[in-house]
């Protein structure tokens, strides 16, 4: 598995992830296809400028055009100040192989090695067993259950946090 920056050529992968009812079950349902070109363009610009780490998951080096999903760390403002957040999606055909866990771990190790992002937060839906399992298995600390807004939808989520610099020190 390798991670590469998102590019403007990743529209199809975004459509498969964000516009599919199965993929978006835990995130309130599919998003409209109409906004995907602009979303990919903004994400590619943020990745190229190093404002966010938006990485496409490539499961096999011998098939570099095959994308299994993505993992992202970005910072955004909250009522309590800036917050670093991580999120990931793995397409159904690639689920159950550990790719999501490996991709999340790889990005957290990079955050540790570069001493960037500080404490990283994740907000998987309370009903999303696989994503909550990734948080638990990688050493995230459970903070609380809360409502989170995603794409103008309010989702019941678990709040997890990890500080790569200290929590991944021995790994």
């Amino acid at each position: 598995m390798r991670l590469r920056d998102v590019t403007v050529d990743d529209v199809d992968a975004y459509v498969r992830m964000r516009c599919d009812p199965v993929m978006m079950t835990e995130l309130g349902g599919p998003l409209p296809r109409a906004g995907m070109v602009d979303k990919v363009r903004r994400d590619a610009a943020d990745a190229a400028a190093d404002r966010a780490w938006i990485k496409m998951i490539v499961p096999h080096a011998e098939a570099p055009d095959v994308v299994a999903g993505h993992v992202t760390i970005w910072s955004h403002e909250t009522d309590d100040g800036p917050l670093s957040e991580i999120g990931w999606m793995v397409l159904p055909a690639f689920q159950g192989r550990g790719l999501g866990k490996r991709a999340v771990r790889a990005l957290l190790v990079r955050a540790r090695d570069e001493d960037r992002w500080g404490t990283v937060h994740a907000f998987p839906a309370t009903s999303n067993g696989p994503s909550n399992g990734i948080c638990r298995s990688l050493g995230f600390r459970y903070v609380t259950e809360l409502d989170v807004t995603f794409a103008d939808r309010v989702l019941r989520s678990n709040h997890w946090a990890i500080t790569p610099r200290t929590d991944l020190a021995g790994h």
Side-chain angles (χ1 to χ4, degrees):
M1 180 206 73
R2 76 177 185 89
L3 301 177
R4 65 158 175 82
D5 282 346
V6 63
T7 71
V8 294
D9 297 325
D10 286 313
V11 174
D12 180 61
Y14 268 56
V15 167
R16 287 184 291 131
M17 288 184 287
R18 295 169 176 257
C19 302
D20 180 85
V22 173
M23 281 296 299
M24 295 296 290
T25 297
E26 302 290 348
L27 294 170
L31 298 176
R33 185 184 178 108
M36 288 303 114
V37 171
D38 286 339
K39 172 66 173 155
V40 173
R41 188 178 300 123
R42 286 190 310 272
D43 282 0
D46 284 344
D50 200 35
R51 289 186 293 267
W53 291 347
I54 305 170
K55 303 295 185 180
M56 305 307 285
I57 303 168
V58 178
H60 304 291
E62 62 275 6
D65 294 337
V66 175
V67 171
H70 72 54
V71 60
T72 304
I73 296 180
W74 73 102
S75 183
H76 56 90
E77 286 298 320
T78 70
D79 292 340
D80 298 321
L83 180 131
S84 296
E85 185 172 343
I86 190 167
W88 56 90
M89 297 181 93
V90 176
L91 290 162
F94 298 95
Q95 292 175 4
R97 300 181 191 182
L99 287 170
K101 180 179 176 179
R102 287 172 45 209
V104 170
R105 182 168 178 15
L107 220 54
L108 291 172
V109 166
R110 180 177 172 197
R112 177 200 65 199
D113 293 349
E114 294 187 21
D115 197 18
R116 183 165 174 194
W117 303 108
T119 298
V120 177
H121 302 264
F123 300 95
T126 56
S127 57
N128 188 332
S131 286
N132 283 290
I134 287 173
C135 290
R136 214 175 355 269
S137 69
L138 291 178
F140 281 77
R141 297 174 305 283
Y142 176 78
V143 179
T144 191
E145 188 176 308
L146 74 166
D147 289 330
V148 172
T149 302
F150 170 80
D152 298 323
R153 307 144 183 219
V154 177
L155 309 171
R156 194 66 183 166
S157 299
N158 286 326
H159 178 186
W160 297 87
I162 191 167
T163 307
R165 183 175 36 80
T166 56
D167 296 335
L168 295 176
H171 298 94

